[in-house]
Amino acid sequence: MHFTLRIWRQKNAQDQGHFETYEVHDISPDASFLEMLDVLNERLLKEGKDPVAFDHDCREGICGSCGIFINGRAHGPLRNITTCRLYMRHFQDGETITIEPFRAKPFPVIKDLVVDRSALDRIIQRGGYISVNAGSAPDANAIPIPKPAADRAFDYATCIGCGACVAACKNASAMLFTAAKVSHLALLPQGQPERRERVKQMVMQMDMEGFGHCSNTGACAVECPAKIPLTAIAQLQRDYIWANLTPDPYTR
Amino acid sequence: MSDVLTAPSPITTSPLSWREAGLLEQNRCPSGDLEKRWTRHKDNLRLVAPHNKRKLEVIVVGAGLAGASAAATLGELGYRVKVFVYHNSPRRAHSIAAQGGINAAKNYRNDGDSIWRLFYDTIKGGDFRARESNVYRLAEVSVKIIDHCVAQGIPFAREYGGYLDTRSFGGAQLMRTFYARGQTGQQLLLGAYAALQRQVAQGNVQVFYNYDVLDIVVEEGKARGIIARNLITGELHRVAAHAVVLGTGGYGNAYYLSTNAKLSNATAIWRAHRRGAYFGNPSFVQIHPTCIPQSGDYQSKLTLMSESLRNDGRVWVPRTPGDKRPPQSIPESERWYYLEEWYPSFGNLVPRDIASRAAKRVCDMGYGVGPTGRAVYLDFSDAIKRWGREVIYQRYGNLFEMYEEITGESPWEVPMRIYPAVHYTMGGLWVDYNLMTTVEGLYAIGEANFSDHGANRLGASALMQGLADGYFILPYTIGDYLASQLFVKLSTDTTAFAETERQTQDRINRLLSAKGTHTVDEFHRELGKVLWDTCGLARNAQGLSQAYSEIRNLRERFWREVAVPGSGAEFNQNLEKALRVADFLELGELMVIDAYHREESCGCHLREEYQTEEGEALRNDDKYAYVAAWEWGGENEPPILHKEPLKFEFVKPSVRSYK
Amino acid sequence: MDTTANTAGLGWLHTSVGRKVVMAVTGIFLMSFLVVHLAGNLLLLRGDGGAAFNAYADFMSTNPLIRVLEVLLFVGFVVHIYQGLYFISKERRFRPKGYTLHRPQDNTTIFSRTMRISAIVILVFLLVHLRHFFVEHRILGASLTMYESCKLAFENPFYSAFYVLSMILLAFHLAHGFHSSFQTLGLIVNRRIDRVVRWAGTAFAFLVPLGFAVIPLYFLFQTLY
């Protein structure tokens, strides 16, 4: 197959950045999108040119490293998939493909298609965990958890932290990301002691990082490779309202 | 230390060789009752008082299961921890891709499981090439891992009563594998990551994102810090600490194509090796039989398909070599179900290594299918006929979808094509019972060390080992060493730091100034092919010695002809890759030497000269019941072999039989 | 968002999530007003020369309870509009450099994408509507009865067309807003409730504006035939 690629090139965070156009030929329809970029980069290297920088690692859709805005969509034209699991057979032969980095204020571009997503880690630092030290846990079966609760918590826990929800959202909101973690822990008995404070703190950090508000368009869930459902956001909302509206029963 | 800058001498004269040193007996393993060893050992370790822990700095390299859990736990204890990861977040390490589960001797099933049985299965699965003390300890702490992970909120699979569910896994007759759907590794890693983030919030741990650790600084025989490159700015940093922990994973990417993540590399452990850490059993590499085969030269990695597929799929190739007909139109009489023919009693369910080797054999004979001829069919049509679509969908639906997504072919219509692929390295830095390498104050944990799996790892044991090391072993044993470091003043203004940094800078400069015409990947692919062909599923002396000279030749060409444009003072992914491949080229040589020297077959290591008539591995316990711990011999000098004898006081090595 | 906001007390209403809650609460309140308003308006169709409708209008403008609610309603509108404008004013901040090619049509509904346009049209409609009926009758004290006012207005094809168009955009606004409000209040607990609310939202967004739109069309067609 043959493609015309319009790729965003930006030397570093300070650079203005611009589009450059490349032609790639003889691409196998079974090549993944990243492998197609590999082919382009091999050629650029041989020509002594700077290859296109992009994040990637596991290339099987679980590490959350890759993330490219392709033809107007986060992770490309398919739903619920990572860039590394997008294959060239999903494009038309001869098509022009527009390739941009994920864009959001909290995701500054590092180079070309690589952005800094550490803001997501800082949201987790505000409470996306259960405070337990190694060694202090009771027997694993000491607390039974209803299977449906465990299953549902699992659905929310599968977030891979790729940032596609932010990239797809018109307001660059990190609600689906934050809500996935809040909901995962809210559904488990282990998560209860810190539940009120967790949701307040994580929402505050989300705002401080410069992510936008959620307007329930649902674009995030369509692009989410982990298929985190929108009910996560409802859960966060519920917990947040509850935590702020009801008096904390433990304060004197 | 020899000058790192010296280019390997042009392909030469020096044939494959090594020097032998004496026995390596000091491994700090306790003696006495197996069940009491770890407890007694812990009781005798030196302690560091809480107010002193704050004065001690520890560097942890890597944040996979082992690194993240170790860093979090050390932070909880009160040490000052600095974590270095080359990823953009400590949640991306390849532990995240582990699917199956994690073993633990909980005996929740009441099926007779015990610490002893897990210990025995692991020792036997490793074909009696691992230490009894270490493996027993692993089985012992496995129980606490599950407790801790559940307390962290990891959503393991549960029964309707609310209690934990378990399933069976290869190599065991018990159901002791805990799992979280097909994403156990992800859930466990995110648990460790969350614990780590909590310590970051509390100020005990600092995480340095986008930093590649390029060398270990050793002062007076002790690990004193690292040289790390900021991947964004290209700057080299000197970082000092009282101890350094390497949790950098395995080196399966030496083969270019593997199921490992693209960035997984051996640089930190290889540099540590060159600074004095011995390398244990470098040729012990596990090859997984059911992966989606390579479809072209552009392919960058291989994807694992769960081994469970072989429960219902039948493996075959056309009886005529090079038969290009579509598989559906090949009549039954012209299909060769070679596994069923060769292993009538186990059929398609032979163990991993047998299945892998058989696939290679038929493809070598020219029967392979697919565009590259390196694949065999895994056919579900009989199973679909017998059980119906619904049942098969329940069992394998998600795997079928994943296969179709990648290959564009539906396993409902066309048989799957599969081929074996490299996915785990049992070898790694040699460590003593305290997980310390032969460099004092330098520790290796998780897949980066060689310790617990012998010559073959059982499924669902990698997660167990990574977390055992990180949560429950290293945090104790490292204190024993740190207690002696309390009064050491840290400084990066030393000749050792300056010299190590200079050597790293020289290495970078040399790569940048080569200005050759071949890309890094071209060399990497070539190295991978040599290793795969000679040091992969089956090995023999002739192939290995030839591989040795090919790799040396390749290494020499690499430094002359590699193309690394751009500069070192910027974000330069190709330079990162070049530095890694340079180290793989050196490691590849050692892997080949190790495979050559071990004149027996055991576990993953099949030497064609040493097999039974039926092609089974022929172990030689009299001569090779030892760990090969290799010492760096110096630039262009042969490596030095230290043998750590393996004493089996509690189990009797037996022949693994699948008949 | 207002990152310096103190989240103690009512400060939480200034976070991104809190502001959404304000939007949702006022939204639901305004939707309930629409139902009451529509119920009254349908009296115009009784064919009794406006007797019932005029009585209703009279009640609405004199009953003290209603007068209090009227103030609340006014506040509801203002807050809803203020929050909307606040969100719009901040939007560019979250993505200072936009995408060159962005295809939200592939992952969102047309209703959610047009919230801003529908809001503006409804706001204009509201102002015209208030000028025409509220200001005219309650402040200036028109000589016509309310029924006559309506009849006159709706017999004007331009006014009726504007009215119907506004109702279509109201339908758009509700098609997203109804479900969105419940989502924001955290009431969409599971997929089943989600389906029910989506269905109810669609029905509401279709029927309420339709009910309003029928009235001018009724008067208009009466003049034609």
Side-chain angles (χ1 to χ4, degrees):
Chain A
M1 299 174 89
H2 156 256
F3 301 101
T4 304
L5 309 175
R6 273 175 80 216
I7 303 180
W8 182 260
R9 302 304 307 262
Q10 183 173 341
K11 269 201 94 53
N12 50 45
Q14 290 74 41
D15 186 24
Q16 276 296 304
H18 63 281
F19 276 100
E20 253 174 62
T21 305
Y22 304 90
E23 303 285 326
V24 286
H25 304 276
D26 297 327
I27 299 292
S28 159
D30 290 329
S32 75
F33 193 84
L34 297 184
E35 284 164 353
M36 184 272 296
L37 289 180
D38 287 342
V39 170
L40 170 69
N41 277 346
E42 284 277 283
R43 197 186 78 207
L44 291 176
L45 282 166
K46 286 196 168 263
E47 293 168 359
K49 291 183 188 147
D50 193 20
V52 178
F54 59 89
D55 263 330
H56 67 103
D57 193 21
C58 79
R59 297 209 179 188
E60 48 188 271
I62 192 78
C63 76
S65 294
C66 63
I68 303 179
F69 212 74
I70 303 161
N71 276 353
R73 301 269 302 271
H75 292 307
L78 298 191
R79 292 174 160 227
N80 301 115
I81 206 168
T82 55
T83 305
C84 63
R85 288 173 79 165
L86 175 66
Y87 287 82
M88 297 317 292
R89 69 180 89 92
H90 297 300
F91 293 89
Q92 301 290 319
D93 194 15
E95 191 177 340
T96 297
I97 306 175
T98 304
I99 303 167
E100 295 176 80
F102 279 1
R103 294 195 189 280
K105 178 161 169 282
F107 287 178
V109 173
I110 291 171
K111 183 177 178 179
D112 300 338
L113 307 173
V114 178
V115 298
D116 181 356
R117 284 167 285 181
S118 56
L120 299 179
D121 290 320
R122 290 190 292 275
I123 294 176
I124 298 293
Q125 282 163 22
R126 280 303 184 108
Y129 44 74
I130 285 160
S131 298
V132 54
N133 287 355
S136 55
D139 185 83
N141 260 348
I143 310 167
I145 300 172
K147 180 175 161 59
D151 284 350
R152 210 134 176 245
F154 178 90
D155 289 341
Y156 297 134
T158 53
C159 167
I160 61 172
C162 66
C165 46
V166 176
C169 177
K170 73 188 188 69
N171 308 321
S173 170
M175 271 294 267
L176 195 65
F177 171 83
T178 310
K181 189 44 70 188
V182 166
S183 304
H184 158 211
L185 298 176
L187 289 171
L188 297 173
Q190 293 91 333
Q192 301 313 311
E194 297 165 288
R195 186 169 171 185
R196 292 174 75 99
E197 206 47 31
R198 176 182 301 120
V199 68
K200 287 198 214 171
Q201 293 288 327
M202 288 176 75
V203 166
M204 188 164 83
Q205 187 66 30
M206 187 175 81
D207 285 359
M208 272 165 63
E209 294 292 344
F211 291 105
H213 57 278
C214 169
S215 48
N216 298 327
T217 68
C220 51
V222 172
E223 306 299 8
C224 176
K227 298 188 182 149
I228 306 288
L230 290 173
T231 46
I233 293 180
Q235 175 81 50
L236 180 147
Q237 293 284 151
R238 198 154 66 239
D239 277 24
Y240 191 74
I241 294 169
W242 182 259
N244 282 296
L245 222 53
T246 60
D248 186 342
Y250 304 122
T251 48
R252 295 220 159 99
Chain B
M1 188 53 53
S2 55
D3 192 349
V4 186
L5 249 184
T6 321
S9 49
I11 162 146
T12 67
T13 58
S14 64
L16 188 156
S17 68
W18 67 92
R19 293 207 316 254
E20 285 203 22
L23 295 183
L24 176 61
E25 305 218 62
Q26 186 41 268
N27 59 13
R28 287 206 175 90
C29 282
S31 54
D33 282 356
L34 193 57
E35 308 86 62
K36 294 191 185 125
R37 284 183 179 182
W38 174 231
T39 310
R40 236 172 347 106
H41 186 75
K42 275 193 292 187
D43 290 345
N44 292 326
L45 293 171
R46 278 172 293 180
L47 295 172
V48 182
H51 68 280
N52 281 331
K53 287 198 175 107
R54 286 195 292 272
K55 298 173 193 157
L56 290 165
E57 306 242 1
V58 182
I59 289 172
V60 177
V61 186
L65 280 177
S69 59
T73 311
L74 292 172
E76 287 163 13
L77 290 173
Y79 293 110
R80 291 279 161 268
V81 185
K82 291 191 167 89
V83 179
F84 287 83
V85 294
Y86 52 69
H87 288 113
N88 53 37
S89 162
R91 64 184 292 159
R92 313 244 186 255
H94 202 53
S95 309
I96 208 151
Q99 299 170 355
I102 177 167
N103 288 329
K106 276 288 197 185
N107 194 29
Y108 282 161
R109 287 264 167 194
N110 201 25
D111 57 1
D113 199 8
S114 65
I115 291 167
W116 172 266
R117 284 195 193 273
L118 176 53
F119 154 74
Y120 184 76
D121 286 349
T122 308
I123 280 272
K124 182 184 167 202
D127 216 359
F128 304 96
R129 289 293 173 265
R131 276 185 212 143
E132 282 184 328
S133 300
N134 280 57
V135 177
Y136 194 86
R137 173 177 66 184
L138 176 66
E140 199 178 325
V141 302
S142 70
V143 175
K144 298 194 72 173
I145 297 172
I146 301 302
D147 296 343
H148 184 54
C149 291
V150 166
Q152 283 180 333
I154 288 167
F156 282 114
R158 287 180 185 262
E159 310 249 27
Y160 277 97
Y163 295 101
L164 290 161
D165 191 16
T166 54
R167 61 183 172 200
S168 52
F169 227 78
Q173 291 165 298
L174 300 151
M175 290 170 80
R176 64 158 77 97
T177 305
F178 294 80
Y179 65 101
R181 244 171 265 174
Q183 283 156 259
T184 318
Q186 183 203 26
Q187 293 308 308
L188 294 173
L189 181 65
L190 292 182
Y193 158 80
L196 184 68
Q197 294 304 323
R198 172 173 164 243
Q199 291 308 309
V200 171
Q202 293 188 358
N204 297 326
V205 175
Q206 265 180 292
V207 179
F208 294 83
Y209 304 92
N210 299 312
Y211 275 87
D212 211 358
V213 172
L214 294 181
D215 215 334
I216 314 296
V217 181
V218 179
E219 262 174 28
E220 293 160 2
K222 291 189 169 66
R224 204 37 92 208
I226 54 166
I227 301 297
R229 180 169 177 270
N230 179 328
L231 297 179
I232 312 292
T233 64
E235 267 174 287
L236 292 183
H237 291 273
R238 305 172 182 183
V239 190
H242 294 97
V244 177
V245 180
L246 302 181
T248 55
Y251 49 88
N253 267 349
Y255 291 81
Y256 185 70
L257 283 179
S258 79
T259 64
N260 286 8
K262 284 298 284 175
L263 307 183
S264 299
N265 68 83
T267 289
I269 56 170
W270 185 251
R271 290 287 137 190
H273 172 64
R274 293 179 54 119
R275 298 280 170 204
Y278 295 180
F279 209 114
N281 301 331
S283 71
F284 285 180
V285 177
Q286 188 169 66
I287 292 165
H288 200 288
T290 49
C291 298
I292 299 176
Q294 190 182 1
S295 58
D297 285 337
Y298 58 83
Q299 187 154 351
S300 57
K301 77 154 276 173
L302 298 169
T303 304
L304 192 80
M305 299 296 287
S306 172
E307 206 176 88
S308 62
L309 289 168
R310 282 194 288 137
N311 286 324
D312 283 305
R314 293 180 76 192
V315 176
W316 64 275
V317 288
R319 284 202 180 271
T320 324
D323 191 335
K324 288 291 171 209
R325 284 176 295 173
Q328 312 90 300
S329 61
I330 298 178
E332 194 64 21
S333 60
E334 292 175 45
R335 297 176 176 195
W336 181 21
Y337 297 94
Y338 61 91
L339 280 178
E340 295 169 22
E341 191 176 307
W342 286 343
Y343 306 97
S345 53
F346 273 71
N348 296 298
L349 283 173
V350 290
R352 279 183 186 181
D353 45 353
I354 301 285
S356 294
R357 282 196 280 268
K360 176 177 155 57
R361 211 183 315 161
V362 293
C363 291
D364 286 347
M365 288 155 71
Y367 292 94
V369 299
T372 57
R374 307 298 307 174
V376 298
Y377 290 125
L378 179 60
D379 197 337
F380 288 87
S381 50
D382 283 355
I384 294 169
K385 249 178 261 160
R386 186 171 345 122
W387 301 106
R389 257 181 105 101
E390 191 51 36
V391 174
I392 297 299
Y393 183 82
Q394 288 297 325
R395 288 183 191 165
Y396 311 113
N398 62 331
L399 293 169
F400 278 28
E401 279 164 23
M402 181 163 138
Y403 180 87
E404 188 171 353
E405 190 185 280
I406 291 173
T407 61
E409 289 177 355
S410 165
W412 297 108
E413 321 294 333
V414 192
M416 280 186 182
R417 281 175 290 125
I418 54 160
Y419 200 65
V422 170
H423 89 125
Y424 187 88
T425 53
M426 281 74 69
L429 289 184
W430 184 90
V431 289
D432 63 18
Y433 192 65
N434 284 346
L435 303 179
M436 188 154 87
T437 66
T438 47
V439 174
E440 269 197 275
L442 180 67
Y443 291 78
I445 54 177
E447 193 180 346
N449 73 27
F450 87 106
S451 70
D452 297 347
H453 306 296
N456 177 52
R457 180 177 65 74
L458 289 185
S461 282
L463 303 184
M464 172 172 69
Q465 186 224 339
L467 291 181
D469 288 359
Y471 284 132
F472 296 111
I473 300 174
L474 181 88
Y476 292 91
T477 59
I478 201 171
D480 188 59
Y481 171 77
L482 288 171
S484 70
Q485 298 297 301
L486 254 177
F487 302 103
V488 174
K489 276 251 166 293
L490 294 179
S491 163
T492 54
D493 263 339
T494 64
T495 43
F497 268 102
E499 184 57 14
T500 313
E501 184 186 334
R502 187 191 64 77
Q503 288 172 355
T504 308
Q505 190 61 58
D506 284 349
R507 219 158 80 231
I508 292 170
N509 292 346
R510 263 193 50 210
L511 286 170
L512 292 168
S513 58
K515 304 224 181 293
T517 50
H518 294 281
T519 64
V520 178
D521 275 345
E522 284 173 332
F523 288 101
H524 197 174
R525 267 187 222 116
E526 221 173 307
L527 170 69
K529 190 172 181 323
V530 172
L531 282 177
W532 177 246
D533 288 345
T534 62
C535 196
L537 286 157
R539 299 131 183 222
N540 62 57
Q542 199 209 337
L544 289 164
S545 76
Q546 200 182 328
Y548 175 80
S549 27
E550 281 175 29
I551 294 172
R552 283 181 77 86
N553 185 12
L554 189 63
R555 176 148 67 96
E556 192 256 339
R557 272 179 44 221
F558 174 82
W559 286 96
R560 243 184 321 116
E561 298 175 6
V562 73
V564 186
S567 82
E570 61 177 344
F571 187 66
N572 189 337
Q573 289 175 315
N574 199 49
L575 173 63
E576 295 164 27
K577 205 187 310 183
L579 285 159
R580 290 166 189 158
V581 171
D583 290 333
F584 278 138
L585 282 161
E586 295 184 8
L587 169 59
E589 212 172 289
L590 187 66
M591 290 165 68
V592 166
I593 294 173
D594 182 55
Y596 181 92
H597 112 279
R598 189 172 280 275
E599 296 185 339
E600 66 160 349
S601 296
C602 61
C604 68
H605 175 66
L606 184 99
R607 279 287 296 267
E608 284 166 343
E609 305 94 314
Y610 308 99
Q611 50 184 333
T612 63
E613 275 173 33
E614 299 95 25
E616 305 298 341
L618 204 58
R619 228 173 46 222
N620 183 345
D621 290 334
D622 294 333
K623 262 189 93 179
Y624 291 99
Y626 64 76
V627 175
W630 297 91
E631 181 186 352
W632 172 248
E635 207 72 56
N636 287 323
E637 294 295 326
I640 303 155
L641 173 63
H642 301 259
K643 297 175 180 174
E644 183 203 339
L646 291 167
K647 292 178 226 114
F648 292 96
E649 302 168 59
F650 302 92
V651 298
K652 200 173 150 293
S654 57
V655 175
R656 292 197 307 169
S657 167
Y658 313 114
K659 290 280 167 189
Chain C
M1 290 298 128
D2 189 355
T3 54
T4 55
N6 176 9
T7 56
L10 284 180
W12 66 280
L13 293 177
H14 292 278
T15 64
S16 63
V17 177
R19 284 178 186 277
K20 279 178 63 184
V21 172
V22 172
M23 201 73 172
V25 169
T26 49
I28 288 178
F29 177 58
L30 296 177
M31 286 191 289
S32 66
F33 157 72
L34 283 181
V35 175
V36 176
H37 192 346
L38 176 63
N41 282 18
L42 288 176
L43 294 174
L44 285 165
L45 304 180
R46 274 182 67 144
D48 58 0
F53 182 74
N54 282 335
Y56 156 77
D58 200 44
F59 171 79
M60 291 307 263
S61 57
T62 50
N63 185 293
L65 182 68
I66 301 292
R67 301 304 293 271
V68 173
L69 284 175
E70 203 170 74
V71 174
L72 260 181
L73 180 65
F74 182 72
V75 172
F77 266 116
V78 169
V79 171
H80 196 78
I81 292 163
Y82 169 78
Q83 287 294 5
L85 290 173
Y86 181 87
F87 282 142
I88 291 171
S89 74
K90 300 286 178 198
E91 242 164 44
R92 280 198 65 84
R93 238 193 229 189
F94 309 128
R95 183 170 291 129
K97 174 129 190 82
Y99 293 113
T100 307
L101 179 60
H102 192 190
R103 294 180 54 85
Q105 63 269 39
D106 292 348
N107 52 31
T108 54
T109 62
I110 187 164
F111 310 115
S112 72
R113 288 197 304 279
T114 50
M115 283 306 267
R116 210 183 307 178
I117 300 160
S118 57
I120 291 167
V121 172
I122 295 164
L123 180 62
V124 171
F125 169 77
L126 185 70
L127 294 174
V128 172
H129 189 71
L130 283 176
R131 170 71 190 83
H132 211 108
F133 297 105
F134 187 84
V135 176
E136 200 69 31
H137 285 263
R138 298 277 290 281
I139 297 171
L140 303 178
S143 52
L144 298 173
T145 67
M146 197 58 132
Y147 179 82
E148 287 164 341
S149 259
C150 292
K151 194 166 182 297
L152 195 66
F154 294 150
E155 280 167 1
N156 175 348
F158 294 105
Y159 188 86
S160 286
F162 170 63
Y163 194 104
V164 170
L165 176 79
S166 300
M167 287 309 110
I168 292 171
L169 280 145
L170 176 65
F172 272 49
H173 204 75
L174 293 172
H176 176 68
F178 187 95
H179 179 273
S180 183
S181 308
F182 287 88
Q183 166 79 355
T184 295
L185 294 182
L187 301 173
I188 311 288
V189 175
N190 55 36
R191 234 176 267 159
R192 209 171 57 86
I193 297 179
D194 185 61
R195 269 198 303 274
V196 171
V197 175
R198 275 186 201 283
W199 183 86
T202 308
F204 189 89
F206 184 71
L207 293 177
V208 171
L210 180 71
F212 280 113
V214 158
I215 297 159
L217 293 176
Y218 168 80
F219 283 101
L220 195 60
F221 278 91
Q222 272 194 334
T223 62
L224 295 176
Y225 303 103

